Amino acid sequence: MFLLVVAIIVLFFQSGPSRVTIFQASPKRNFRASTTTNRHLNDTPISFLTPNASSHVNATLSFVTLIDVIKSLESPVIVTTVNHGFIDLLQNLLFSIQRISLKNDIVVICEDRSSYLELSHGVRGLNITYHIVLTHLGESVENATTYGSKNYKSLVKKRVFYLKCFVDSGVDVLYTDVDIVLLEDPFPYFERGADLVVQTERRPRLSDTCTGFMFMKASKKMRVFLDAWSKKLPRDPSGNQRTFNNVIGKYGKTMKTQLLPMTKFQSGKIFRDTTTPWRERKPRPVEVHANFLVGHGKKTDMLKEADLWFIPESSINVSTI
């Protein structure tokens, strides 16, 4: 038995069929080894215990593909992507989900190895389970990207291909950016049978939709839409958002598309049009997106000033490396 001051997780990869040996800290701060195969990882997600017996680490650590992870999930699934520079915004999103007691499976696609490893340690005080998987489309830069930058465009262009994985596998998916908070369960507001449910930014028009918050049903019409979006995106210099709006302009009326009410699903611009505290608004917002703000600092400042920062002061990353 090894006695260590700091608990560690050792990840060991072997050649041939993927096997992972995971050393996980027990409540008594000693270690036990668990060796498993990919199939076992799918059937029985691994959970980790931190050295603090009262703090359960709530990440499912996966060494399989996104498709393999999807097979174990129950529809509809909540999906988001993150790189290391936006870890705190992701945590705030997860705490907002915990606050309203949503029980849906959550998948976090990590765009870099640093975020993947950090999230595998869990977050103190966060008692919901989320599944993490490292991107299969090439890692991104670790720092917070700036809206409109080359790195930003490269990052968001992957989104359609992730969504295709879910829809093509028959799984309904709610995609959300990490700079979003949920204040109420959004699913009751989605029209039954809708292929696409999407937020708008400044006006209720198909040409003003936002790819940062959208629900996609695993329907044949949605597969056609995603195929068109994925084919047009790589050769369209206008970027992810405009390409989406161009494609929805063509296909939006051929499928059942719902534009979410702007009084309840608010972009950063709509939310900041009034200074009334969100708890006192009638109706109260269900979801708030901290967009129309360029830069990580401005987004976090806006959320904190608006009383939309849900990470407890006592919550810090449980580092086991």
Side-chain angles (χ1 to χ4, degrees):
M1 180 183 300
F2 295 97
L3 298 177
L4 299 177
V5 176
V6 180
I8 62 172
I9 296 176
V10 180
L11 309 178
F12 177 70
F13 297 84
Q14 296 181 344
S15 59
S18 296
R19 293 177 64 82
V20 184
T21 299
I22 300 171
F23 290 85
Q24 54 191 123
S26 74
K28 295 182 179 180
R29 299 197 180 194
N30 57 358
F31 296 88
R32 62 184 184 273
S34 173
T35 304
T36 183
T37 64
N38 278 356
R39 185 175 66 179
H40 182 70
L41 279 168
N42 284 337
D43 296 340
T44 310
I46 296 171
S47 63
F48 295 88
L49 291 176
T50 69
N52 181 345
S54 65
S55 177
H56 185 268
V57 175
N58 38 31
T60 298
L61 189 58
S62 171
F63 298 95
V64 291
T65 67
L66 178 58
I67 292 296
D68 289 328
V69 172
I70 289 172
K71 292 176 183 177
S72 68
L73 304 178
E74 184 176 342
S75 184
V77 173
I78 299 173
V79 176
T80 191
T81 65
V82 70
N83 70 351
H84 196 262
F86 288 97
I87 284 284
D88 57 344
L89 284 167
L90 168 70
Q91 292 173 351
N92 193 52
L93 167 64
L94 293 176
F95 272 107
S96 79
I97 291 173
Q98 174 173 282
R99 177 181 169 274
I100 59 176
S101 302
L102 276 184
K103 303 302 182 184
N104 302 73
D105 280 316
I106 301 169
V107 176
V108 179
I109 302 173
C110 300
E111 296 288 1
D112 59 84
R113 204 166 296 266
S114 294
S115 61
Y116 178 77
L117 291 174
E118 182 165 335
L119 287 172
S120 71
H121 307 154
V123 183
R124 192 181 302 278
L126 189 64
N127 299 313
I128 58 175
T129 298
Y130 55 89
H131 305 266
I132 60 173
V133 61
L134 186 63
T135 180
H136 62 288
L137 298 177
E139 293 182 42
S140 74
V141 295
E142 295 182 3
N143 58 300
T145 53
T146 303
Y147 178 84
S149 67
K150 183 179 179 180
N151 287 330
Y152 172 84
K153 290 180 180 179
S154 175
L155 197 64
V156 297
K157 279 186 176 181
K158 299 178 186 180
R159 186 175 305 166
V160 61
F161 300 101
Y162 297 143
L163 295 173
K164 272 180 60 62
C165 287
F166 287 89
V167 172
D168 289 348
S169 298
V171 176
D172 300 341
V173 56
L174 171 61
Y175 174 82
T176 174
D177 279 349
V178 294
D179 59 342
I180 278 175
V181 291
L182 295 178
L183 305 174
E184 185 183 331
D185 183 352
F187 288 97
Y189 294 91
F190 302 165
E191 293 177 2
R192 187 173 182 178
D195 298 291
L196 174 66
V197 180
V198 63
Q199 182 176 17
T200 54
E201 296 193 318
R202 290 160 294 192
R203 56 189 70 86
R205 298 179 185 175
L206 279 176
S207 60
D208 195 40
T209 55
C210 175
T211 59
F213 189 81
M214 53 188 175
F215 171 80
M216 293 183 168
K217 190 172 183 61
S219 64
K220 182 178 179 180
K221 290 180 179 180
M222 181 49 58
R223 289 195 294 271
V224 171
F225 175 84
L226 286 172
D227 282 342
W229 184 18
S230 65
K231 290 174 181 176
K232 186 175 177 60
L233 185 59
R235 59 178 185 269
D236 191 336
S238 62
N240 174 71
Q241 184 71 60
R242 290 185 181 179
T243 303
F244 177 86
N245 284 333
N246 290 338
V247 175
I248 202 174
K250 180 178 180 180
Y251 290 90
K253 294 181 180 180
T254 66
M255 57 186 179
K256 186 172 181 179
T257 303
Q258 177 193 358
L259 301 181
L260 288 166
M262 299 176 69
T263 55
K264 285 189 168 289
F265 295 83
Q266 300 186 348
S267 68
K269 183 180 186 307
I270 297 298
F271 181 80
R272 298 196 310 276
D273 276 348
T274 176
T275 57
T276 303
W278 69 267
R279 298 174 193 273
E280 299 174 14
R281 298 186 186 187
K282 296 182 180 180
R284 278 190 184 183
V286 172
E287 171 263 355
V288 177
H289 192 174
N291 59 353
F292 288 89
L293 292 165
V294 178
H296 170 273
K298 290 183 178 180
K299 291 175 181 290
T300 56
D301 287 347
M302 173 264 186
L303 291 168
K304 290 176 181 178
E305 291 169 4
D307 194 24
L308 294 172
W309 196 254
F310 299 112
I311 302 177
E313 290 184 6
S314 60
S315 176
I316 59 173
N317 285 347
V318 182
S319 180
T320 51
I321 286 186

